[in-house]
Amino acid sequence: MDIKAYIILSLTLFTIGVIGVLVRRNAIIIFMCVELMLNAVNLLLVAFSKMHAMSPAAKALPTFASDAQIFVFFIMVVAAAEVSVGLAIIVMMYRNIHSVDINFLNRLKN
Amino acid sequence: MGNYFSFPDLLIWLPLVAGIICFLCRKEQSAKTISILASLLVLGVSIASLFYTNDKKYLHFNNVNYIWLKYIGANYFIGIDGTGKLLTLLTAIGFPLVLMSASRTKYVSAPSFYGLLLLTQAGLMGVFCSLDALSFYFFWELALIPVYFLASRWGGEKRIQATFKFFVYTFTGSLLMLIGIIYVYLQTGSRTFVDGTVVAHSFSLSSFYNAALSSKEQFGLFWLFFIAFAVKMPVFPFHTWQPDAYDQSPTPVTMVLSGIMVKMGLFGAIRWLIPMFPAATLRFNEVVIILCMIGIVYASCLAMVQDNLKKLVAYSSIAHIGLMCAALFTLNPVGIQGTMIQLFHHGINIIGMWVVLNMIERQTGIKQISQLGGLAQKAPKLTILFVIVALANIALPLTNAFTGELLMFTGLFQYNHWYAAIAGIGIILSAVYTLNMIQKVFYGEWKPVSNFFPDLSITEKLVLVIIVALVFVFGVYPQPLIDLTKESVNQLLMRLK
Amino acid sequence: MNMVWLIPILPLIGFLINGLGRNSLPKAVSGFIGSITVLASFVLSLLVFMQVKAGNFHQTLHYFDFIRLESFTIPFNFTIDALSSLFLLIITGVGFLIHVYSTAYMHEEDGKDYAKYFAYLNLFVFSMLLLVMGGNFVVMFIGWEGVGLCSYLLIGYWYKNEAYTDAAKKAFIMNRIGDLGFLLAVFWLISKLGTVQYDEVFNAANLAKLTATDITGITLLLFVGATGKSAQIPLYTWLPDAMAGPTPVSALIHAATMVTAGIYMIARSNALFSLAPITQSVITVIGLATALLAATIALRQYDIKKVLAYSTVSQLGFMFLALGTGNYVAAVFHVLTHAFFKALMFLGSGSVIHAMGGEQDIRNMGGLHKHMKITSITFLIGCLAISGIPGLSGFFSKDEILAGTFAHSPLLYGIALFTALLTAFYMFRLYILTFSGTFRGTHEQEHHLHESPNAMTIPLIILAILSVIGGYIGVPEALGGHHELAAFLSPVVKSTTHHLSHNTEYILMAVSTLLVIVSIFIAVFRFRRYSTEQNNVFTKWLENKWYIDELYDAIIVKPIRGFSNFLNQFVEKRIIDDAVNGVGRAVNYGSRQLRWLQSGQVGAYVLLMVIGMLLLFIIQLFL
């Protein structure tokens, strides 16, 4: 398939993720949007990796141009770590202010 | 002398060390004694330096050159020539007078007060002795900081605003100068040190003089430097910090400010501004003179309607400095010579004025002319000495200021006779406000609320008598000062060719 | 000649002794020291004068270099020639008499103030001597401002009174305005000739270097200085106010010496002024106008000292008239005779005031002749002298001035003659109202009336004698004399008036004498039986001095004050200060706005991060 489709899909997902992070107030939703962003990037990486593997020059490389696909695993590991730590913070936050609305987090003010 | 200590070294480090010792004192009396003794010692050194004038070559006399920041080419390079000797002598004479006159007032935590004053002296000496741009800038700021503390801690009611304005204003000017210094630094040639290291640029005075600056660069740099000095002097319209600062500072600080610190501005122009940028000076000197002339008339007019004694003297100081600056920028040998000797005379005279005002303020607590009157009835000796100092300030013949003004006006007249006529209006107006002040404060009926007003004490009498003696000695025979600064004037003019 | 420097130094020493020792010296000692120094100077001046007269030499004594630059030098030197030695005699001679007079007049002051008075008087004599002995314009200027200073100090002598100190301030400031003119002339000379020395400036070769504009400008500026010091239009109003000072001060400073400094200066610079016809016309017109104006005002003054003050201004106007017509010798002559009779009359008025216990209004006097014969007779001699009655000194000097004016322009002569008649009229009005008729004062004043002590009357007598015989050194050829004064002054002062034929001179003299006598008789008859003088509009103007003071106040003092206030309120406070404070306020405002960035909202931070990243991407695309 044409690489363009994958790029557009990935960008769309990423943008949705970004806007979601900026706009939404619920912390859990924000996490989901962050995951969305990460997965959009994953998608893009895999697509490019496959595209690269299909080209003639890739046959000479030892890894068959699958570096990006390996990198996806790294991203997933990071995402997992981040989610666990983040959810722990959200639990603590909930315990203190009984809400997951981020607008209440303004103790850094002034 | 020469190998271990040189005159400029002593002049800077003595007050510095004495200041630090003062800080460590516990009792007020010991701080006072140490400070006065130290300042007298500095005076001795300064007078001794006057005798060592065998080598009259410019910048090559009694110098000290220590390597400071090697890799950027900045040295601790100090030395004194004619002008430097004159101004260090002024500082050396002025500070004992200031300290003696200050010793009569009780200040809270006095040791720090006297210590800070001595630090200021060290800074001032450094400014007048520096032959290296970075040390010049360093001492320039060093002189400013203790004054800020002095004024903000021991000043009048509105001191915070006044000192804040003073500090920010002056500092902005100095920053502009720093930009200028760095720019010129980057244009200077390389320099080789004794041990063989070669540095790409150098901060020393001679390399600054020889820096290759195109005319366009000179024009811009001239204004950068000039604004810094103009704020210091102050020149209209950069003067608005001055009346408030003089008013709110404790009077000994005002003595230092108006007697010596304003000379920093003029000295900067003489030593750094004009020689470094001859093309720009020739192009812009008319503008500067016009600014100064406006300042003279403006400040004299304002002095006439002031009710606050200290502000009145502050405005009169602006007028005097305006004349000195204008005469300097006429680039006329007579005018420049007049400014040089007037630097000294004005310092002495204005310190005299402030000494008297200090006494009036201390005894009556009043600064408003409208609330004062008839002081001559209780303090005739003070009146007479004050009248003499006031007349010296308006340049009566046989006083020192007359010799300076005669030369300055001659120079200004030779430049443009209409300017001399307009500046002459300043002479008339100065007589008006000075006589007005004398009449309202000293003559007439006794007005202040309290009846207690002792006449002069011994210390004050001594201070005023010394000032009056200097007024008359140099009024009748000003030639020594002229001889002292003649070389500097010539060197300055040669740079302009 | 080596003792010449002592002449000014002795009074200076007197000043120092009296000034520093004023708290401890008894009155008799201070008075003695004050007077003896001036007497010593007088003796030395006499010796100098005789040497000059014998050898007729002209010498400059150099003491040290005041200012020495590469382009010019201002030495401190004295010049001793005919003109300066003559003035030396006047200053020290009349000065000494006035010092003696003061010892009695100021007797009521307490010791400290008494000594202060004599200190100031001695300082004045010192400055005046510097002025006339100076060898260049700068030394003259030192003395010039010095006498202005002493005038200020002495007018404001009774410093508790605000009106007196106001008068002193006015005198000093008007003097200063004139001094600015003088200084500008000095600068002009330095820049054109590189010297201020008399012998160098008046050297024909140097004079040739000056263009006509130079000469006119310099002389006009010098004349401005003279109008300030010698009370001519427009800077004369300080002189009548200066009567606030003690009467001997008025006699010495404001009659005999300080006010003649302007005339001295112009006489000294006659070489310069003779080359400036425009200036000379200006001087003539102003001199004559001043003389006339002051004479008219004097007609209606009631304070005995004010009449004399305006009379002085008027007589000074005559002297300037003479200078303007090139008649320098006549001007100097009139200085001499005027010093005698005006000092005499001032001292006489002091005697009257003393006797009247401080009263100065002539409407409350009258018939004093009975009680104070010496004062009265000497005063009468003074009046006769100033009116120009033949035989007395004033006649010779005034007639010479009038003759010179006639040679210049008969119209001006007419006005001058009219002024001379007014002079006689108001002087005799003063005399009659004060000394003859019936006493109009209070009863206790009448009891107090007495002749003054010897210390006061003897100077009066001496001055009266001088007023009589002083004119004989200047007897003109028309009357058979040799005019010794002119001959004496001729090396230094060269008059440029035309000579009139002897017949014209006789006619002029006869006319003026006759008219003066008529004028005197009119005055005597008018005021013999004194009734209150009616005031119509015109005389009200005269009495109020033509409202000139009010005019000055309105067009100079108030506008300057208003302008300064405007500068203070508007420009200083609003424009400049606000501009600076405005910068501060702008920075404050900006910071407050920027503070909103620190909202503490995490969401906002993230947004900013995203925006920043986007910006970086975009920028990176272009670089």
Side-chain angles (χ1 to χ4, degrees):
Chain A
M1 262 174 61
D2 198 3
I3 190 74
K4 265 196 261 190
Y6 288 100
I7 293 175
I8 292 172
L9 177 61
S10 174
L11 266 178
T12 318
L13 286 173
F14 189 83
T15 321
I16 293 174
V18 169
I19 294 176
V21 167
L22 294 175
V23 169
R24 300 302 297 245
R25 279 174 29 193
N26 194 317
I28 302 178
I29 305 287
I30 291 179
F31 261 105
M32 286 173 17
C33 293
V34 172
E35 286 299 314
L36 190 55
M37 280 198 282
L38 286 170
N39 283 309
V41 170
N42 282 345
L43 178 61
L44 197 60
L45 276 172
V46 171
F48 271 116
S49 169
K50 190 71 178 152
M51 179 186 97
H52 195 45
M54 303 276 267
S55 71
K59 296 262 187 319
L61 292 169
T63 57
F64 296 106
S66 59
D67 304 344
Q69 293 171 24
I70 311 274
F71 194 57
V72 167
F73 285 106
F74 279 102
I75 294 179
M76 285 190 195
V77 165
V78 168
E82 168 231 332
V83 163
S84 49
V85 173
L87 284 178
I89 293 178
I90 289 182
V91 167
M92 292 312 314
M93 183 176 118
Y94 183 78
R95 282 209 190 140
N96 275 323
I97 57 177
H98 295 289
S99 156
V100 284
D101 187 334
I102 61 162
N103 276 339
F104 290 121
L105 296 173
N106 57 3
R107 296 264 184 94
L108 278 176
K109 184 176 171 141
N110 297 340
Chain B
M1 295 292 160
N3 276 338
Y4 298 107
F5 288 113
S6 67
F7 285 121
D9 250 336
L10 279 175
L11 288 172
I12 299 178
W13 291 100
L14 264 175
L16 196 63
V17 168
I20 296 179
I21 297 181
C22 266
F23 269 119
L24 302 172
C25 283
R26 289 287 161 74
K27 294 202 301 209
E28 178 175 347
Q29 188 53 43
S30 40
K32 274 192 224 175
T33 338
I34 292 180
S35 59
I36 294 184
L37 279 177
S39 59
L40 286 173
L41 201 56
V42 173
L43 177 62
V45 171
S46 181
I47 293 181
S49 78
L50 289 176
F51 291 108
Y52 286 80
T53 54
N54 43 17
D55 189 0
K56 280 244 181 165
K57 291 183 104 133
Y58 189 52
L59 296 183
H60 292 302
F61 173 71
N62 272 345
N63 294 353
V64 152
N65 198 343
Y66 294 130
I67 298 174
W68 180 24
L69 298 169
K70 193 195 236 174
Y71 293 104
I72 62 172
N75 281 4
Y76 171 68
F77 188 11
I78 50 177
I80 40 181
D81 68 329
T83 327
K85 285 218 177 78
L86 185 72
L87 286 168
T88 49
L89 183 66
L90 172 67
T91 319
I93 292 184
F95 265 89
L97 297 173
V98 169
L99 288 166
M100 280 200 273
S101 139
S103 63
R104 292 269 302 165
T105 319
K106 291 228 154 304
Y107 289 107
V108 184
S109 59
S112 359
F113 185 82
Y114 292 103
L116 283 170
L117 272 178
L118 283 171
L119 285 179
T120 320
Q121 182 176 23
L124 287 168
M125 288 292 192
V127 169
F128 296 137
C129 296
S130 285
L131 295 177
D132 183 283
L134 203 59
S135 16
F136 176 74
Y137 187 76
F138 173 73
F139 282 114
W140 180 276
E141 298 303 333
L142 185 62
L144 179 62
I145 296 171
V147 171
Y148 173 73
F149 283 114
L150 282 166
S152 59
R153 185 144 178 222
W154 286 275
E157 323 83 38
K158 293 205 300 179
R159 61 186 182 274
I160 302 291
Q161 289 120 298
T163 47
F164 191 67
K165 188 151 94 172
F166 160 59
F167 189 74
V168 173
Y169 218 140
T170 321
F171 205 69
T172 316
S174 314
L175 280 176
L176 289 173
M177 182 168 75
L178 184 63
I179 297 175
I181 290 180
I182 292 178
Y183 189 92
V184 177
Y185 164 75
L186 291 172
Q187 311 297 321
T188 59
S190 68
R191 165 164 144 162
T192 318
F193 280 83
V194 185
D195 55 356
T197 39
V198 178
V199 191
H201 302 295
S202 151
F203 273 108
S204 78
L205 186 66
S206 36
S207 37
F208 265 51
Y209 279 7
N210 297 326
L213 295 166
S214 76
S215 292
K216 282 276 178 345
E217 289 170 333
Q218 280 197 17
F219 292 168
L221 287 167
F222 177 89
W223 286 111
L224 279 178
F225 272 81
F226 180 71
I227 291 182
F229 299 136
V231 171
K232 209 34 155 212
M233 283 193 237
V235 169
F236 178 93
F238 302 109
H239 65 279
T240 46
W241 61 268
Q242 196 228 44
D244 286 320
Y246 281 18
D247 184 25
Q248 297 298 326
S249 314
T251 318
V253 177
T254 320
M255 290 182 210
V256 172
L257 272 176
S258 65
I260 308 169
M261 280 186 91
V262 295
K263 313 297 182 300
M264 274 164 60
L266 279 163
F267 175 78
I270 294 174
R271 175 83 96 216
W272 296 90
L273 180 64
I274 298 181
M276 282 206 291
F277 313 121
T281 315
L282 287 168
R283 171 97 186 264
F284 291 123
N285 68 339
E286 182 105 18
V287 177
V288 174
I289 293 182
I290 293 182
L291 272 180
C292 293
M293 305 270 301
I294 299 179
I296 295 176
V297 179
Y298 180 80
S300 305
C301 280
L302 282 173
M304 287 205 294
V305 292
Q306 289 299 324
D307 190 37
N308 185 323
L309 257 182
K310 293 179 90 165
K311 282 202 180 159
L312 192 152
V313 180
Y315 280 112
S316 84
S317 190
I318 298 179
H320 288 134
I321 302 285
L323 179 62
M324 280 154 64
C325 188
L328 177 65
F329 277 88
T330 57
L331 307 179
N332 180 311
V334 182
I336 300 181
Q337 182 70 273
T339 305
M340 296 268 201
I341 61 177
Q342 191 74 340
L343 287 174
F344 185 81
H345 297 322
H346 176 262
I348 300 285
N349 293 349
I350 206 89
I351 289 183
M353 289 281 269
W354 289 114
V355 167
V356 175
L357 290 189
N358 191 17
M359 204 197 149
I360 295 178
E361 193 184 350
R362 191 179 65 239
Q363 298 294 2
T364 61
I366 303 175
K367 285 192 288 196
Q368 270 63 30
I369 296 183
S370 46
Q371 296 174 17
L372 285 170
L375 291 182
Q377 295 177 31
K378 294 252 167 91
K381 290 203 193 48
L382 177 65
T383 315
I384 293 184
L385 289 170
F386 179 67
V387 169
I388 297 179
V389 173
L391 291 172
N393 264 301
I394 63 176
L396 197 74
L398 281 190
T399 59
N400 51 8
F402 172 67
T403 56
E405 280 208 14
L406 185 67
L407 292 175
M408 290 197 292
F409 267 103
T410 310
L412 194 57
F413 188 89
Q414 286 175 347
Y415 180 81
N416 180 327
H417 35 267
W418 294 113
Y419 289 168
I422 296 177
I425 296 181
I427 298 185
I428 302 175
L429 293 177
S430 70
V432 173
Y433 61 68
T434 310
L435 288 184
N436 248 332
M437 170 174 55
I438 296 179
Q439 186 193 15
K440 292 219 178 81
V441 171
F442 286 95
Y443 297 148
E445 290 303 324
W446 179 262
K447 246 200 226 165
V449 178
S450 77
N451 253 332
F452 175 70
F453 197 91
D455 208 349
L456 296 171
S457 71
I458 305 278
T459 358
E460 280 157 348
K461 215 188 297 197
L462 183 65
V463 170
L464 282 174
V465 164
I466 293 176
I467 292 179
V468 165
L470 284 169
V471 162
F472 283 124
V473 163
F474 286 117
V476 175
Y477 193 54
Q479 196 58 33
L481 292 176
I482 296 179
D483 289 333
L484 187 63
T485 49
K486 238 195 307 216
E487 262 311 301
S488 312
V489 174
N490 285 337
Q491 295 288 342
L492 186 65
L493 286 169
M494 286 215 310
R495 290 284 316 169
L496 286 168
K497 298 267 183 295
Chain C
M1 271 300 154
N2 332 11
M3 307 292 256
V4 166
W5 60 276
L6 271 180
I7 299 182
I9 293 295
L10 284 171
L12 185 66
I13 296 178
F15 158 71
L16 287 171
I17 297 180
N18 269 327
L20 294 172
R22 68 186 182 283
N23 286 324
S24 25
L25 289 174
K27 277 199 247 188
V29 175
S30 5
F32 179 75
I33 292 180
S35 316
I36 203 82
T37 51
V38 183
L39 180 63
S41 291
F42 176 68
V43 168
L44 288 171
S45 308
L46 207 51
L47 291 171
V48 167
F49 176 77
M50 295 200 296
Q51 285 198 311
V52 172
K53 193 159 187 317
N56 237 348
F57 68 74
H58 184 129
Q59 197 186 68
T60 309
L61 299 155
H62 179 83
Y63 291 107
F64 62 92
D65 276 342
F66 186 51
I67 290 178
R68 187 176 56 239
L69 298 175
E70 276 160 35
S71 43
F72 65 91
T73 307
I74 301 180
F76 191 95
N77 49 15
F78 288 158
T79 183
I80 301 297
D81 58 13
L83 186 62
S84 54
S85 53
L86 180 69
F87 267 84
L88 280 180
L89 281 180
I90 301 177
I91 299 167
T92 48
V94 177
F96 171 65
L97 291 172
I98 295 180
H99 273 75
V100 171
Y101 181 95
S102 305
T103 54
Y105 187 83
M106 303 297 287
H107 207 72
E108 282 146 23
E109 302 288 324
D110 50 288
K112 233 175 4 153
D113 293 328
Y114 192 79
K116 190 170 74 163
Y117 173 85
F118 277 98
Y120 286 161
L121 264 190
N122 271 0
L123 185 65
F124 170 81
V125 174
F126 163 72
S127 308
M128 192 72 203
L129 288 172
L130 266 188
L131 200 160
V132 299
M133 287 171 79
N136 57 52
F137 282 101
V138 171
V139 179
M140 182 201 260
F141 186 72
I142 296 179
W144 187 274
E145 284 245 28
V147 296
L149 170 71
C150 296
S151 171
Y152 167 77
L153 291 172
L154 283 164
I155 296 174
Y157 175 70
W158 287 303
Y159 59 83
K160 296 207 178 84
N161 184 318
E162 194 170 322
Y164 292 175
T165 49
D166 271 341
K169 195 172 54 171
K170 182 165 162 182
F172 193 86
I173 291 173
M174 284 197 145
N175 263 279
R176 259 253 151 156
I177 300 177
D179 292 343
L180 178 60
F182 192 112
L183 274 178
L184 287 173
V186 169
F187 300 144
W188 200 324
L189 274 174
I190 294 182
S191 49
K192 277 286 148 62
L193 290 180
T195 173
V196 284
Q197 282 284 97
Y198 292 150
D199 43 15
E200 286 168 25
V201 172
F202 302 140
N203 180 317
N206 271 336
L207 284 177
K209 284 194 220 161
L210 298 171
T211 68
T213 353
D214 283 338
I215 294 189
T216 316
I218 295 177
T219 47
L220 272 177
L221 286 169
L222 282 176
F223 177 60
V224 168
T227 54
K229 193 64 80 186
S230 305
Q232 297 296 294
I233 291 173
L235 296 172
Y236 72 93
T237 51
W238 64 270
L239 190 67
D241 288 357
M243 296 299 114
T247 313
V249 169
S250 308
L252 180 61
I253 298 186
H254 306 126
T257 41
M258 176 174 114
V259 291
T260 57
I263 292 127
Y264 169 79
M265 186 253 291
I266 296 184
R268 170 64 73 193
S269 325
N270 63 81
L272 208 56
F273 279 85
S274 300
L275 295 172
I278 303 179
T279 317
Q280 287 193 305
S281 323
V282 171
I283 298 180
T284 313
V285 168
I286 291 190
L288 190 55
T290 314
L292 184 60
L293 177 72
T296 55
I297 300 180
L299 289 172
R300 277 283 174 174
Q301 294 302 310
Y302 297 109
D303 183 328
I304 190 174
K305 286 178 73 173
K306 287 260 162 70
V307 176
L308 292 173
Y310 282 105
S311 166
T312 308
V313 176
S314 183
Q315 294 301 304
L316 288 169
F318 266 105
M319 295 179 217
F320 276 97
L321 174 65
L323 290 172
T325 52
N327 208 347
Y328 303 105
V329 176
V332 174
F333 192 14
H334 203 58
V335 166
L336 179 71
T337 57
H338 177 263
F340 295 148
F341 54 69
K342 195 45 74 60
L344 165 65
M345 287 197 281
F346 263 110
L347 293 185
S349 73
S351 185
V352 166
I353 297 172
H354 189 80
M356 295 281 296
E359 173 70 68
Q360 293 183 221
D361 194 329
I362 56 179
R363 292 174 287 196
N364 298 336
M365 299 182 194
L368 292 181
H369 178 78
K370 295 200 278 296
H371 305 271
M372 329 172 61
K373 294 239 166 22
I374 304 182
T375 310
S376 169
I377 296 177
T378 51
F379 203 93
L380 181 61
I381 295 178
C383 289
L384 290 171
I386 197 175
S387 310
I389 299 294
L392 294 158
S393 59
F395 166 70
F396 295 107
S397 58
K398 191 177 285 199
D399 248 45
E400 198 168 331
I401 297 179
L402 289 175
T405 318
F406 184 80
H408 193 83
S409 146
L411 170 65
L412 295 179
Y413 168 78
I415 304 177
L417 181 61
F418 176 64
T419 314
L421 301 178
L422 286 180
T423 310
F425 186 80
Y426 67 66
M427 284 315 307
F428 273 88
R429 165 181 176 265
L430 182 67
Y431 181 78
I432 299 290
L433 286 180
T434 315
F435 289 101
S436 60
T438 45
F439 187 67
R440 295 179 295 276
T442 66
H443 219 57
E444 31 182 287
Q445 280 174 330
E446 195 165 3
H447 276 283
H448 190 245
L449 290 174
H450 60 279
E451 182 58 271
S452 305
N454 281 344
M456 286 166 69
T457 51
I458 295 184
L460 287 177
I461 299 175
I462 298 180
L463 283 171
I465 298 175
L466 285 171
S467 301
V468 174
I469 65 172
Y472 288 99
I473 60 172
V475 182
E477 291 155 27
L479 294 177
H482 303 289
H483 209 318
E484 301 176 2
L485 184 64
F488 178 66
L489 289 173
S490 55
V492 191
V493 180
K494 297 174 178 42
S495 282
T496 60
T497 37
H498 309 291
H499 276 300
L500 301 169
S501 69
H502 285 188
N503 277 332
T504 332
E505 282 201 41
Y506 291 144
I507 298 177
L508 291 178
M509 276 187 233
V511 164
S512 65
T513 313
L514 263 172
L515 289 176
V516 160
I517 295 182
V518 167
S519 172
I520 294 179
F521 271 109
I522 299 179
V524 169
F525 279 126
R526 166 85 179 75
F527 293 106
R528 251 216 132 86
R529 257 162 257 309
Y530 177 68
S531 53
T532 349
E533 290 168 297
Q534 305 294 2
N535 264 334
N536 52 35
V537 173
F538 185 60
T539 50
K540 202 115 192 87
W541 257 64
L542 293 183
E543 190 174 332
N544 284 313
K545 310 165 270 154
W546 293 71
Y547 295 110
I548 298 263
D549 274 318
E550 288 77 2
L551 180 72
Y552 282 168
D553 203 42
I555 63 174
I556 297 179
V557 179
K558 288 225 168 49
I560 291 187
R561 205 149 274 259
F563 180 62
S564 307
N565 268 320
F566 163 76
L567 284 181
N568 199 16
Q569 305 297 21
F570 189 61
V571 179
E572 180 83 356
K573 290 216 170 76
R574 307 265 289 293
I575 295 185
I576 299 183
D577 227 13
D578 274 3
V580 175
N581 289 344
V583 171
R585 257 180 285 140
V587 173
N588 246 336
Y589 177 75
S591 330
R592 235 179 304 130
Q593 295 308 94
L594 278 178
R595 227 215 298 150
W596 288 113
L597 277 178
Q598 301 286 86
S599 61
Q601 301 284 25
V602 183
Y605 293 160
V606 175
L607 176 63
L608 285 172
M609 253 183 358
V610 171
I611 293 178
M613 268 195 318
L614 276 174
L615 278 173
L616 278 171
F617 280 146
I618 297 175
I619 292 174
Q620 184 241 39
L621 269 177
F622 288 112
L623 283 177

